[in-house]
Structure formats: C-alpha cells, structure tokens
Amino acid sequence: MTTSWARAVSFVLLALLPWTMGVSVAQDQDETVDPPVDTRVGSNERVRNLLGTAWIRSARALIAQKDISPQTFQIAMSTVEAAVTLDEDDLDAWNFLLDISMAADGLVPGSRELVMRSLDNITRLSPGNTVARYARLREIVDEKPTLEQRRQ
C-alpha cells in the first residue's frame, strides 16, 4: 500500500511541477506565450497552497490508520516536511509536523531533529506561544543530560 501511495504522490508532484516553477502556458500548439508576471506569481502561490494542503491532508490520512508502521511515519513526516518547504510560514503545518515527529521519536531516524526544527519555526511564527518555548527549552535540556555538557 505504501508503494502505490508513494507512486501516487510522485505522479502528483511531477504533474504539478511545471506550474510551481512558472513554466510558459501554451495557447496554441505552435505558439507559447508567457502569462503576465502578476498572474503567474499569483497562480504559483495558489498552486503551492493547494499542493501543500493536499500533502498535509494525505499525511493526516496516513496517520489516521489503525496500525502505523515506522515507514508510515517516515512517509507522513516527509510529506509534511515537503509541505512546509512550500510555505514556511504555515503555523498549522509546523504544528502538525511537530506532532508527527514527537509521535515517531525513537521509531524513525531524524525525528528528533524535526522536533527541534518544528519548535524553532513555531516559536518564530508565534513568539508568544509559551508552550512551544518551554517545549523547545525542554528539548535543548534533554539533548545534554549533564551540567558539564549543558555549559558547552
């Protein structure tokens, strides 16, 4: 099931890639005309938002399964990570990536780094979020268990 899902995601990515990169739009088969810059930029942003939303929705569907394997966590984390690269100011996406990464901690390599990256971005986007700030502080302290290591 994960192979077919990964193929479907790859197909969607390849199909939408030309629009996300601002490729020319063909009016006739022989003639290619660039759209006005403001239209192209607006459509790129719209496509990026739609693509990011679709990726997050797909990751939520994966996580909602009954039995979640480490591979499923890895696919979901990679999918949401791709979504946040499209819009690095999407606070909800960063919160979701934090949730997945915390749930996958110990199961998936690199999940601990994603927890810190998510917390860094959540505190960047929402500086008044004391829960995220304390969680970030707790993660820093947990990384270095002894006083000597914390001082370095």
Side-chain angles (χ1 to χ4, degrees), residues 14 22 24 42 66 71-72 86 88-89 94 124 128 134 142:
L14 290 174
S24 304
K66 200 172 205 175
Q71 293 81 13
T72 304
L86 292 176
E88 292 185 352
D89 294 334
W94 284 112
R124 175 182 62 87
Y134 288 135
D142 286 347

Side-chain angles (χ1 to χ4, degrees), residues 10-11 26 30 42 46 63 70 89 98 101 112 117 124 148:
S10 299
F11 178 76
D30 298 332
R46 174 113 171 100
I63 297 300
D89 294 334
L98 175 65
S101 302
R112 189 89 165 156
R117 186 170 157 216
R124 175 182 62 87
E148 290 81 24

Side-chain angles (χ1 to χ4, degrees), residues 2-100:
T2 58
T3 304
S4 62
W5 186 87
R7 285 183 187 164
V9 169
S10 299
F11 178 76
V12 170
L13 288 174
L14 290 174
L16 294 176
L17 187 62
W19 288 297
T20 62
M21 299 185 75
V23 173
S24 304
V25 176
Q27 289 181 337
D28 293 327
Q29 298 223 334
D30 298 332
E31 180 182 335
T32 302
V33 177
D34 284 332
V37 173
D38 59 342
T39 304
R40 186 175 54 217
V41 170
S43 67
N44 279 344
E45 186 175 328
R46 174 113 171 100
V47 169
R48 286 175 180 264
N49 288 340
L50 289 172
L51 189 56
T53 301
W55 285 346
I56 290 171
R57 191 174 295 140
S58 298
R60 286 188 193 280
L62 281 173
I63 297 300
Q65 293 177 6
K66 200 172 205 175
D67 297 320
I68 303 174
S69 68
Q71 293 81 13
T72 304
F73 272 118
Q74 181 64 50
I75 292 169
M77 286 174 16
S78 298
T79 305
V80 177
E81 194 174 9
V84 296
T85 59
L86 292 176
D87 184 6
E88 292 185 352
D89 294 334
D90 186 351
L91 183 59
D92 292 333
W94 284 112
N95 280 313
F96 185 51
L97 184 59
L98 175 65
D99 292 342
I100 294 173

